[in-house]
Amino acid sequence: MVRAIRGAIQVDGDDRNSIIAGTTELVTAVMERNRLTTDDVISVIFTATPDLTAEFPALAARKLGFHDVPLLCASEIAVPGALPRVVRLMAHVETDRPRQDIQHVYLRGAVALRVDIAQ
């Protein structure tokens, strides 16, 4: 089956190291909590709030070994009052896990985005 997994993290700042470190933490947590390997991943879409421009979040995934996985980065819409400095992802994966067993991951300040499903 194909499933989509959502996740987000609020990073410390608009600098290369913060974006790479935060995205690495997010991708690693999604993979571990859902017991996935890169072979299970079909594609990943990353978005960043408009205040994050120092680096592409997908670079962190490439550094984690996502060499043959299609990755895409986009900018979130600039909604007034939205949580700043957030990297989001939606990963499409192949898994036998039922939908209710998928672990969506919201870290740091991004927990506030989905308190209903954040771990």
Side-chain angles (χ1 to χ4, degrees):
M1 288 180 282
V2 175
R3 299 282 185 217
I5 303 172
R6 289 290 317 269
I9 188 166
Q10 188 175 39
V11 300
D12 295 332
D14 183 26
D15 60 89
R16 187 174 192 273
N17 289 339
S18 292
I19 293 169
I20 296 293
T23 306
T24 297
E25 181 181 344
L26 176 61
V27 171
T28 300
V30 166
M31 298 296 285
E32 288 176 355
R33 291 183 190 181
N34 289 285
R35 296 185 297 263
L36 298 168
T37 68
T38 55
D39 286 339
D40 300 321
V41 181
I42 298 166
S43 64
V44 183
I45 300 168
F46 292 95
T47 65
T49 50
D51 54 356
L52 295 178
T53 61
E55 187 55 83
F56 294 104
L59 180 60
R62 292 276 181 242
K63 290 180 176 229
L64 288 171
F66 285 63
H67 303 293
D68 297 329
V69 177
L71 305 174
L72 178 69
C73 293
S75 180
E76 284 285 332
I77 59 174
V79 174
L83 190 66
R85 301 181 325 277
V86 176
V87 173
R88 292 173 172 87
L89 70 74
M90 183 169 11
H92 300 96
V93 303
E94 291 181 303
T95 181
D96 291 330
R97 299 178 83 181
R99 187 182 310 265
Q100 65 269 18
D101 291 345
I102 296 296
Q103 297 290 308
H104 303 283
V105 179
Y106 290 80
L107 303 173
R108 301 186 196 172
V111 169
L113 298 173
R114 291 299 304 265
V115 293
D116 58 323
I117 61 174
Q119 291 83 36

